[in-house]
Amino acid sequence: MKPIYSALALSAACVLGSAACSDPGNAAMSSTPPATSSTTDALTDCAGNQVSDFTIVDSTISEAQTWSGAVFVRGNIVAAQNAAVTIKPGTQVIMSENSSLDFATNAGASLDAAGASDAPVQFCGAQARAGYWAGLMLGAGADLASRLDDVVISDAGQASGAALKLSGAAMLHAVTVAGSAGDGIDAVDFDPQSADVSVQGSAGIGLVLHAGSALSHFPAQITLSGNGDDRVRLRFDTVNENATLHPLAVAYDQEGSLKVGNGAALTMEAGVNYQMEPGASLDIGVDGDSATAQFMGTDAAAVTFSGSAQASGSWKGITIGEDASGSMLAHVEIRHAGGDAHAALDVEAKSTLDQVLVAESDTGVKIGPQGVTAESQGLTISGALQTPLHVAANALVALPQFTFEGTGDASILVDAGAISANGTIPAQGLPYDVQGNLEITQGASVSINAGAQFVMANASRFMVGMDDSAATIKAQGSESAKVVFRGATDSPGSWYGITIGSNVSADSSLNYVEIDDAGAGDMTAGSALTLETSISVTNSTFVDSSGFGILKAESDTSDYVAQNSFAGVSADVGVMATGTL
């Protein structure tokens, strides 16, 4: 254990600002202790060597000073407004017990500690013991931010605090913080040029960020090792400027809900490991505040999101809000989310999903009316305990092929609403569980692939062009893979059926389509399929309708009976008088 220099010897040493010292602005700033020092041990430096030539700092720093050699700091020393201290290479700043250096409280106070690779500036305790002194606090200077370059900080960080606290945009380069009894570094901000920072052997958290600016200006080359918690802890709720997360050997850990806005882009590079504390969420472009997400993993190094608790539904999930733009998630894994009735991934703005895995979550993916881009591919939802996929009606025509693995509720939940975009509704291997009326509107052209299945809510309708537009429907099944519409309740008349409007495009067609459980009637006689205009209906089956299989217009001369099959209907085909609907 390094002995601390006694009060008797210190009384004869140089104290900055006293008559015993040379000019405090002089680079030397040293004095020689009294020759009769045999009554006490000498001060021990950061290497454990005794030193007899040192300078004492034990009062407010009120003017510019330059430190070199050995400097002994006693007490909680505060730099006054606009006071600047420069520390030369090789200087050892030796701190007394419970002492601190504060360059953050007063505006314009700054510290420029510029060491060299072979002569670093060192801050250490007079005894080599973790938490022996409180720590170093830096803010932003009036003209120049504080700088630590080739600096080592050891023996600081008492249990309730951090060894190094940054409340302003200090520049850190080649900085090592070691042996803190508390956290390593607490930061509100960094200078954007910061790089090569190491925190090791702290009893608490290696690095805690207290504001989005610290994430936006995050140093390149961060190393955390041997700390009580080797993670970068994010302890703030907004990011309002561009931020790029680089992959580390450790995880980023988001402690609460975080919102990205103000037009900011949040970028995560390949290999980023991002953990979420229980109940947390990550929201990009919500509440009228634009933002962009760029999560750019690779096949070899995905961007991973997981719950720190590693339990399904332990955190809420990621939202790409309506006000987001240009977002892309490539080779991304999302685990343990979907808690509190939140989707693990909620996409409300048109975004690109490329090789995205959502696994071990309560609920899976929600896609809003804007859907996803045509380039989207390779979405896998695995192990969802509840709804694996929830889509808005308009998003049905913008779904890439999905893979579902071991989901609890084996269906795709579809909101009632209008489909106004052109596209194709694919067969996904799971039925579409439609919660109410669906309508193809505004002249949209919609194709439905063979094998697609729709489970229609009680008293619901599937309508095409009922807004008098020339909408188009092409449901093209096959003999082995029909397009199926059936009721959520397995009984005739549980839903109304499909209605084709009078101005629907003549290109519309139903081929190998099966309609079950329909035919509820209201203003007209019920029917599984109501045609206000003639379209091609072939090889289709109408089963268990409480009314007609097909109800056609009086002017329609098509022979639907010969080209289709009917079972359990009141009549195969009925004719409605002009103006009935």
Side-chain angles (χ1 to χ4, degrees):
M1 193 72 69
K2 294 192 294 186
I4 187 167
Y5 200 69
S6 73
L8 176 63
L10 288 174
S11 67
C14 173
V15 178
L16 286 182
S18 74
C21 281
S22 58
D23 178 8
N26 187 286
M29 282 199 342
S30 63
S31 67
T32 302
T36 58
S37 60
S38 58
T39 58
T40 183
D41 293 325
L43 184 66
T44 303
D45 68 11
C46 299
N49 301 314
Q50 291 185 350
V51 291
S52 57
D53 190 6
F54 56 90
T55 301
I56 297 172
V57 178
D58 66 354
S59 61
T60 298
I61 301 169
S62 58
E63 57 187 347
Q65 297 178 0
T66 299
W67 296 359
S68 64
V71 177
F72 183 53
V73 176
R74 293 189 300 186
N76 299 310
I77 305 304
V78 179
Q81 184 173 352
N82 297 324
V85 171
T86 300
I87 304 181
K88 289 196 166 185
T91 300
Q92 298 193 49
V93 181
I94 304 163
M95 307 294 296
S96 66
E97 189 169 12
N98 298 322
S99 63
S100 63
L101 275 171
D102 182 350
F103 292 85
T105 297
N106 292 316
S110 64
L111 173 66
D112 187 5
S117 59
D118 58 349
V121 171
Q122 299 182 67
F123 294 83
C124 65
Q127 292 185 19
R129 171 163 54 85
Y132 183 78
W133 61 288
L136 175 61
M137 292 161 278
L138 302 179
D143 300 311
L144 177 68
S146 291
R147 174 175 64 145
L148 301 181
D149 195 348
D150 281 295
V151 169
V152 177
I153 300 170
S154 59
D155 311 326
Q158 294 171 330
S160 60
L164 175 61
K165 293 185 178 180
L166 308 178
S167 61
M171 199 284 282
L172 274 57
H173 177 261
V175 173
T176 297
V177 176
S180 171
D183 296 337
I185 300 175
D186 279 6
V188 170
D189 203 356
F190 298 96
D191 183 278
Q193 301 304 312
S194 296
D196 191 13
V197 177
S198 174
V199 183
Q200 51 191 259
S202 296
I205 303 166
L207 179 58
V208 181
L209 307 185
H210 290 274
S213 53
L215 188 64
S216 297
H217 305 146
F218 194 72
Q221 297 96 41
I222 286 277
T223 302
L224 304 177
S225 63
N227 302 291
D229 185 343
D230 270 333
R231 291 179 290 179
V232 179
R233 299 292 287 265
L234 310 185
R235 199 169 284 171
F236 51 88
D237 57 12
T238 56
V239 172
N240 288 325
E241 55 186 313
N242 295 345
T244 298
L245 276 64
H246 311 291
L248 305 174
V250 298
Y252 298 86
D253 184 271
Q254 182 183 311
E255 294 188 354
S257 293
L258 178 60
K259 174 184 172 183
V260 183
N262 196 41
L266 177 62
T267 300
M268 297 191 185
E269 296 177 342
V272 164
N273 179 2
Y274 198 95
Q275 292 184 357
M276 307 289 284
E277 290 298 308
S281 64
L282 178 58
D283 303 317
I284 295 101
V286 300
D287 300 330
D289 205 357
S290 64
T292 299
Q294 292 285 306
F295 303 156
M296 307 303 292
T298 65
D299 188 42
V303 172
T304 61
F305 294 86
S306 61
S308 61
Q310 297 189 359
S312 176
S314 65
W315 60 288
K316 292 178 182 177
I318 300 171
T319 298
I320 310 297
E322 293 180 2
D323 301 295
S325 62
S327 294
M328 181 171 186
L329 282 66
H331 295 279
V332 172
E333 297 181 5
I334 302 170
R335 299 179 185 275
H336 313 128
D340 197 22
H342 194 291
L345 175 60
D346 186 349
V347 182
E348 298 297 330
K350 182 160 282 191
S351 307
T352 298
L353 307 181
D354 183 8
Q355 310 304 321
V356 174
L357 169 66
V358 176
E360 304 167 65
S361 296
D362 275 9
T363 56
V365 177
K366 183 176 183 291
I367 299 178
Q370 297 185 53
V372 296
T373 66
E375 294 75 26
S376 296
Q377 59 180 343
L379 176 62
T380 299
I381 302 173
S382 176
L385 299 181
Q386 300 180 44
T387 303
L389 179 61
H390 181 179
V391 300
N394 203 48
L396 284 170
V397 296
L399 292 180
Q401 197 67 45
F402 289 79
T403 300
F404 299 92
E405 299 174 350
T407 55
D409 183 0
S411 63
I412 301 169
L413 189 66
V414 180
D415 291 332
I419 302 174
S420 58
N422 299 333
T424 299
I425 302 176
Q428 296 285 8
L430 297 180
Y432 295 104
D433 185 359
V434 182
Q435 297 300 292
N437 294 342
L438 287 183
E439 182 177 4
I440 302 174
T441 65
Q442 301 180 36
S445 179
V446 175
S447 297
I448 303 176
N449 283 352
Q453 298 187 42
F454 298 82
V455 179
M456 304 299 296
N458 290 344
S460 65
R461 292 178 168 87
F462 192 113
M463 298 174 286
V464 183
M466 294 304 289
D467 60 345
D468 292 329
S469 70
T472 302
I473 182 172
K474 294 182 179 180
Q476 184 62 50
S478 68
E479 187 173 4
S480 59
K482 294 180 178 180
V483 174
V484 176
F485 296 85
R486 58 184 172 85
T489 301
D490 185 16
S491 62
S494 68
W495 65 293
Y496 283 96
I498 299 175
T499 302
I500 306 296
S502 59
N503 293 319
V504 164
S505 167
D507 290 336
S508 296
S509 62
L510 305 180
N511 186 40
Y512 285 106
V513 172
E514 181 176 328
I515 303 176
D516 298 348
D517 312 318
D522 49 7
M523 294 180 296
T524 68
S527 62
L529 174 63
T530 300
L531 300 174
E532 292 190 7
T533 189
S534 176
I535 65 169
S536 174
V537 181
T538 55
N539 303 308
S540 295
T541 304
F542 302 86
V543 179
D544 293 337
S545 172
S546 63
F548 298 106
I550 297 175
L551 183 63
K552 67 177 184 177
E554 191 173 35
S555 59
D556 188 349
T557 60
S558 302
D559 185 0
Y560 296 109
V561 174
Q563 302 177 75
N564 302 286
S565 60
F566 303 84
V569 297
S570 298
D572 295 348
V573 177
V575 177
M576 58 183 165
T578 301
T580 300
L581 288 181

